[in-house]
């Protein structure tokens, strides 16, 4: 196996497509959004990407057969908009792999004449989030002004630690190639998979692209997760009360 293998499954002609990256990350926000788009738009898979920079494992599928972990690119076309959607099982487990895979994704973007690139992710804040917000970062000033119109917040030096992985590297390396790119990050606790944060990012993305997508499946997952979070909060409150009572007894 080569370091990175790109298997083209089908040749398609696209008109200045927009590329969307939604690989696993904080809260799996970007992954949820990208996979939801693939399902709802019935996008067609055109590329499989394999690499030994992914975790050393295979998945066992329903029929008992195995497959290597991979990233995938789907294509979708309409009269007004063409899309390339990057999804996958994992990101690289090595620093070198992150750079090499990002360069591979950008090679594919250039091949298809991508006009704009959106990377999607979560912005972990370490506590449960009551109000949904989308934080942005871009490699071109015009995109900052454009995304502000859709309610995206741009803050100096936020995220404080920068943007790790494909969501960040595609912006930095994309700028070197002249590809305009913006990262949309849903604010999330970072503790759990967060479909509610993904829903907020999806709304911004759809508004920016003039795209209409049924969000009911994601909304239902968000409601289910809200019930889980509420239960966790109840446990936290009960534990805090119990600890308070113990401290009173000690005094």
């Amino acid at each position: 196996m080569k370091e990175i293998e790109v298997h083209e499954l089908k040749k398609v002609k696209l008109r200045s497509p927009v590329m969307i990256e939604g690989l696993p990350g904080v809260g799996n926000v970007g992954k949820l959004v990208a996979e939801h788009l693939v399902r709802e738009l019935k996008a067609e898979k055109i590329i499989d990407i394999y690499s030994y920079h992914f975790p050393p494992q295979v998945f066992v599928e329903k029929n008992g057969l195995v497959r290597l972990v991979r990233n995938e690119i789907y294509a979708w076309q309409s009269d007004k908009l063409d899309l390339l959607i990057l999804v996958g099982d994992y990101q690289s487990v090595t620093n070198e792999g992150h750079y090499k895979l990002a360069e591979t994704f950008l090679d594919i973007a250039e091949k298809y004449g991508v006009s704009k690139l959106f990377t999607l992710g979560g912005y972990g804040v370490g506590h449960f989030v009551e109000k949904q917000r989308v934080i942005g970062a871009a490699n071109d000033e015009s995109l900052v002004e454009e995304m502000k119109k859709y309610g995206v917040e741009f803050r100096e030096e936020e995220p404080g630690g920068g943007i790790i992985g494909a969501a960040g590297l595609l912006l930095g390396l994309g700028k070197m190639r002249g590809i305009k790119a913006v990262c949309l990050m849903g604010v999330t606790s970072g503790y759990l998979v967060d479909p509610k944060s993904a829903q907020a990012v999806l709304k911004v993305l759809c508004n920016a692209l003039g795209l209409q997508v049924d969000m009911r499946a994601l909304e239902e997952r968000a409601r289910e997760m809200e019930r889980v979070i509420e239960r966790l909060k109840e446990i936290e409150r009960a534990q805090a009360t119990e600890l308070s009572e113990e401290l009173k007894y000690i005094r």
Side-chain angles (χ1 to χ4, degrees):
M1 179 178 175
K2 298 177 182 177
E3 185 174 15
I4 297 175
E5 292 194 11
V6 178
H7 294 188
E8 187 177 46
L9 307 178
K10 184 174 182 179
K11 294 184 181 296
V12 294
K13 290 185 178 180
L14 303 175
R15 300 160 300 175
S16 301
V18 172
M19 190 172 193
I20 298 170
E21 173 273 325
L23 294 172
V26 178
N28 262 355
V29 174
K31 180 179 173 69
L32 286 172
V33 174
E35 289 183 344
H36 184 83
L37 285 173
V38 167
R39 285 193 300 269
E40 294 299 325
L41 297 174
K42 295 180 172 58
E44 182 177 25
K45 184 162 71 165
I46 61 169
I47 294 173
D48 279 332
I49 300 170
Y50 300 93
S51 173
Y52 60 62
H53 290 288
F54 294 145
Q57 70 182 85
V58 296
F59 283 139
V60 182
E61 301 188 309
K62 292 180 181 179
N63 56 9
L65 298 178
V66 301
R67 70 165 178 84
L68 285 168
V69 297
R70 66 194 177 207
N71 287 173
E72 303 166 332
I73 293 181
Y74 289 77
W76 179 79
Q77 296 172 280
S78 71
D79 293 338
K80 297 181 179 179
L81 176 68
D82 288 0
L83 296 177
L84 285 173
I85 306 173
L86 169 62
V87 297
D89 300 316
Y90 293 104
Q91 293 201 47
S92 171
V93 294
T94 69
N95 290 339
E96 180 184 14
H98 275 296
Y99 277 90
K100 290 192 172 183
L101 282 162
E103 294 284 15
T104 298
F105 302 149
L106 290 170
D107 288 343
I108 294 169
E110 287 186 333
K111 174 182 175 180
Y112 285 95
V114 163
S115 58
K116 188 184 299 182
L117 175 59
F118 285 85
T119 70
L120 312 176
Y123 175 30
V125 292
H127 57 80
F128 291 120
V129 176
E130 298 297 334
K131 182 180 179 182
Q132 297 303 313
R133 295 182 295 129
V134 176
I135 303 294
N139 66 7
D140 187 272
E141 189 174 348
S142 65
L143 285 177
V144 174
E145 297 307 314
E146 180 183 346
M147 291 300 111
K148 282 181 179 179
K149 298 175 183 177
Y150 304 109
V152 179
E153 299 178 17
F154 291 84
R155 300 183 177 186
E156 186 176 353
E157 297 183 354
E158 191 172 9
I163 306 171
I164 297 171
L169 283 178
L170 288 174
L171 269 64
L173 296 174
K175 184 173 183 177
M176 295 177 70
R177 299 192 188 207
I179 299 175
K180 292 184 179 181
V182 59
C183 179
L184 303 178
M185 295 164 281
V187 177
T188 179
S189 67
Y191 300 146
L192 304 165
V193 173
D194 195 340
K196 191 171 183 180
S197 179
Q199 189 179 347
V201 171
L202 179 59
K203 287 179 179 177
V204 170
L205 182 64
C206 286
N207 286 336
L209 295 177
L211 189 63
Q212 292 187 339
V213 176
D214 191 333
M215 298 188 185
R216 285 176 295 182
L218 201 54
E219 289 170 354
E220 178 55 34
R221 292 190 67 176
R223 285 192 290 269
E224 290 175 1
M225 188 55 66
E226 282 181 345
R227 290 192 285 270
V228 171
I229 291 173
E230 189 54 40
R231 178 57 183 153
L232 290 174
K233 288 180 178 179
E234 289 175 3
I235 293 173
E236 284 184 350
R237 288 193 289 267
Q239 290 175 338
T241 300
E242 183 178 341
L243 178 60
S244 178
E245 293 299 322
E246 289 177 356
L247 291 174
K248 288 180 181 178
Y249 176 75
I250 293 172
R251 287 198 297 269

